[in-house]
């Protein structure tokens, strides 16, 4: 099975930036649709951004123009560059491989607060 290991979360002030990384085990990474989800307290988990094996990107309306997803297949890694962070971006961010029925990371906390 695939193991996803996330890093890069933390505390940041509004307007600041963070870059999340997700490293996947296994040799099938290049074939997976990869995505970042987030879940805030009291809310359902929502899709933030996704990237296909071919590099096509989809962003949620809430993060368009601020977040950028990318992947490096040679490193089995997907990134989420988060700029212009807002308090409402505070959530646990989860890395996902191969769709909702696929694999999930453990989650990393992102807190945006002054």
């Amino acid at each position: 099975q695939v193991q996803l290991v996330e890093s890069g979360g933390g505390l940041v002030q509004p307007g600041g930036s963070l870059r999340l990384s997700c490293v996947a085990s296994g040799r099938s990474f290049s074939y997976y649709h990869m995505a970042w989800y987030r879940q805030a307290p009291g809310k359902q988990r929502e899709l933030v951004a996704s990237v296909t094996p071919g590099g096509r990107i989809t962003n949620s309306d809430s993060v368009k123009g601020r977040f950028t997803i990318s992947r490096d297949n040679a490193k089995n890694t997907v990134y989420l560059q988060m700029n212009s962070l807002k308090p409402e971006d505070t959530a646990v961010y989860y890395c996902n491989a191969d769709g909702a029925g696929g694999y999930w990371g453990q989650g990393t906390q992102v807190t945006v607060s002054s």
Side-chain angles (χ1 to χ4, degrees), residues 43-80:
K43 295 186 177 181
Q44 295 184 352
R45 188 171 300 185
E46 65 172 343
L47 177 65
V48 176
S50 65
V51 56
T52 71
R56 295 188 182 274
I57 292 170
T58 299
N59 295 302
S60 68
D61 290 340
S62 62
V63 306
K64 280 184 177 178
R66 300 189 298 120
F67 293 7
T68 302
I69 190 171
S70 62
R71 68 190 299 158
D72 187 339
N73 288 341
K75 297 181 179 179
N76 274 24
T77 301
V78 63
Y79 305 95
L80 185 67

Side-chain angles (χ1 to χ4, degrees), residues 9-13 18 109-114:
L11 175 65
V12 65
Q13 293 185 345
L18 287 172
Q109 178 70 47
V110 172
T111 302
V112 185
S113 176
S114 60

Side-chain angles (χ1 to χ4, degrees), residues 37-46 48 89-94 109:
Y37 289 75
R38 67 185 182 186
Q39 187 168 23
K43 295 186 177 181
Q44 295 184 352
R45 188 171 300 185
E46 65 172 343
V48 176
D89 295 318
T90 296
V92 178
Y93 284 71
Y94 297 91
Q109 178 70 47

Side-chain angles (χ1 to χ4, degrees), residues 24-46:
S25 66
R27 60 187 300 175
S28 298
F29 176 83
S30 63
Y31 299 102
Y32 289 150
H33 186 140
M34 301 296 298
W36 288 95
Y37 289 75
R38 67 185 182 186
Q39 187 168 23
K43 295 186 177 181
Q44 295 184 352
R45 188 171 300 185
E46 65 172 343

